[in-house]
């Protein structure tokens, strides 16, 4: 069973705060992406696209920081954002490890499922697509042929996936500080399921400045790409939200986001040379990649794993209600 919500609606103050937060995050995301819109779009240099993408990831954190410091002026800022306290340590460590390895497993298991369903041509034996990609990179760099065994390179890539969770942590925290750190607890008065679904929809729509240019879904029209992104964000966001609620900390969710981003590119290792991949169907972005996360979310819901530990209360929940809500109105 899920948590019964303490209230069935958001207060006027909550609605105002959420509206301001979303306005800041969305406006900043569009502003950062404007050079691509007025330039070559998805055909811009890879370095420019990467810079814009990373900079955009910081916008939810900027919005959340503005909220706690200047708009809501929360007394326990780090606690409201889920950055603090880092205890109980055993719970934080447990869910941090889950946050690292579960997203990696979700991605790696989804790849053979997609291949079995026939949505993309895979090569799990010779890694021909990976070999072709490495050869093209070497040629572009002006270096010679590979001197390291291909199988060894594949093993190294897979073993480095947990490390990628820490390498990608800072940009991932830029998103998680806003979506799961600040927004999800604000939506919890609606109930766990509505809060997770609504935050997932918002997270997906926030990607619009890049998705509508063809980022992630280059073969799909803009409306379809954005719809696919929203679906992905609801499912993956449910896993990240579960980590946030169970740990009462944003760190496991941030590590999960970082690990998921780091593992998402592993389809390049197992793809077949010369074959095209439609990301609306294959990879973690496509529908075949949603099967395993959906199964996990169903199991988590069925086993009551979205219930928050008795001690897991955010600072916002712990603070006394606003005067206009605490004092009964005269009738």
């Amino acid at each position: 069973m899920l948590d019964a919500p303490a209230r069935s609606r958001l207060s006027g103050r909550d609605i105002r705060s959420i509206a301001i937060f979303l306005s800041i995050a969305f406006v900043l995301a569009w502003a950062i992406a404007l050079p691509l819109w007025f330039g070559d779009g998805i055909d811009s240099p890879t370095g420019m696209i990467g810079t814009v993408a990373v900079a955009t990831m910081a916008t939810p954190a900027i919005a959340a920081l503005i909220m706690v410091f200047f708009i809501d002026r929360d007394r326990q800022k780090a606690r409201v954002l889920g950055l603090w306290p880092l205890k109980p340590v055993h719970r934080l460590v447990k869910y941090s490890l889950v946050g690292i390895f579960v997203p990696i497993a979700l991605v790696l298991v989804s790849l053979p499922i997609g291949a079995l369903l026939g949505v993309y041509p895979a090569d799990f034996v010779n890694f021909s697509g990976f070999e072709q990609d490495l050869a093209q990179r070497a040629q572009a760099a002006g270096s010679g042929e590979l001197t390291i065994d291909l199988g060894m390179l594949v093993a190294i890539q897979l073993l480095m996936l947990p490390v990628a969770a820490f390498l990608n942590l800072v940009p991932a925290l830029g998103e998680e500080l806003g979506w799961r750190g600040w927004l999800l607890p604000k939506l919890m008065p609606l109930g766990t399921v509505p809060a997770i679904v609504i935050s997932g929809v918002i997270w997906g729509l926030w990607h619009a400045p890049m998705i509508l240019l063809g980022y992630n879904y280059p073969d799909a029209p803009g409306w379809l790409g954005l719809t696919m992104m929203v679906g992905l964000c609801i499912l993956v966001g449910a896993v990240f939200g579960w980590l946030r609620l169970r740990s009462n900390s944003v760190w496991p969710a941030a590590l999960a986001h970082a690990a998921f981003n780091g593992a998402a590119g592993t389809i390049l290792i197992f793809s077949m040379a010369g074959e095209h991949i439609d990301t609306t169907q294959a990879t973690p972005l496509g529908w075949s990649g949603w099967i395993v996360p959906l199964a996990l979310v169903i199991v988590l819901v069925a086993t009551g794993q979205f219930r928050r530990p008795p001690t897991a209360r955010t600072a916002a929940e712990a603070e006394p209600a606003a005067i206009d809500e605490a004092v009964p109105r005269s009738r």
Side-chain angles (χ1 to χ4, degrees):
M1 296 175 60
L2 300 174
D3 285 337
R7 292 178 285 168
S8 60
R9 62 180 180 85
L10 295 172
S11 68
R13 180 183 177 185
D14 287 338
I15 294 173
R16 170 180 170 271
S17 294
I18 291 170
I20 295 173
F21 166 80
L22 295 180
S23 298
I24 296 171
F26 276 67
V27 168
L28 286 177
W30 275 99
I32 291 172
L34 281 181
L36 297 180
W37 279 84
F38 288 108
D40 296 325
I42 205 68
D43 295 323
S44 301
T46 303
M48 182 179 181
I49 295 175
T51 300
V52 170
V54 172
T56 303
M57 292 178 73
T59 60
I62 293 172
L65 291 171
I66 290 174
M67 295 307 301
V68 298
F69 277 96
F70 303 109
I71 307 299
D72 292 339
R73 298 183 180 181
D74 299 282
R75 289 176 296 177
Q76 302 181 63
K77 297 173 177 59
R79 187 184 291 269
V80 167
L81 296 173
L83 292 168
W84 191 265
L86 303 179
K87 61 182 183 180
V89 175
H90 71 277
R91 185 174 70 194
L92 180 63
V93 171
K94 178 177 74 172
Y95 284 106
S96 294
L97 291 173
V98 171
I100 292 172
F101 289 101
V102 165
I104 293 174
L106 293 179
V107 173
L108 293 181
V109 174
S110 71
L111 296 181
I113 290 177
L116 288 172
L117 291 172
V119 298
Y120 80 99
D123 185 353
F124 292 103
V125 178
N126 298 314
F127 313 111
S128 57
F130 185 46
E131 184 177 27
Q132 182 184 56
D133 181 65
L134 291 174
Q136 291 174 347
R137 290 171 182 262
Q139 183 178 11
S143 56
E145 297 181 357
L146 294 174
T147 57
I148 304 177
D149 179 70
L150 186 62
M152 181 65 70
L153 283 176
V154 171
I156 292 173
Q157 291 284 320
L158 296 178
L159 291 173
M160 286 294 291
L161 290 180
V163 178
F166 295 96
L167 297 178
N168 297 328
L169 180 59
V170 171
L173 184 62
E175 288 196 46
E176 291 306 310
L177 206 60
W179 306 133
R180 257 63 61 178
W182 189 89
L183 180 61
L184 181 59
K186 280 288 184 183
L187 293 172
M188 283 301 289
L190 298 174
T192 306
V193 170
I196 286 177
V197 172
I198 292 171
S199 63
V201 171
I202 291 170
W203 182 29
L205 293 176
W206 167 85
H207 287 86
M210 299 291 287
I211 298 299
L212 293 178
L213 287 172
Y215 190 77
N216 282 347
Y217 299 98
D219 301 314
W223 67 268
L224 178 58
L226 192 57
T227 301
M228 297 296 294
M229 197 68 198
V230 169
L232 171 69
C233 287
I234 292 173
L235 283 177
V236 177
V239 177
F240 298 170
W242 164 63
L243 291 168
R244 168 69 166 107
L245 296 176
R246 293 297 297 179
S247 67
N248 198 34
S249 173
V250 75
W251 294 108
L255 285 167
H257 193 148
F260 185 83
N261 286 356
T266 52
I267 192 168
L268 295 175
I269 298 176
F270 303 113
S271 62
M272 186 172 291
E275 297 290 342
H276 179 71
I277 298 175
D278 182 355
T279 52
T280 63
Q281 300 189 58
T283 83
L285 299 169
W287 66 264
S288 66
W290 300 357
I291 296 173
V292 180
L294 177 60
L296 174 61
V297 171
I298 291 173
V299 170
L300 292 175
V301 171
T303 56
Q305 289 300 305
F306 279 96
R307 286 198 302 264
R308 305 171 79 177
T311 58
R313 301 179 69 208
T314 64
E317 293 169 323
E319 288 184 358
I323 293 177
D324 62 346
E325 296 176 14
V327 179
R329 297 177 182 270
S330 58
R331 296 178 180 240

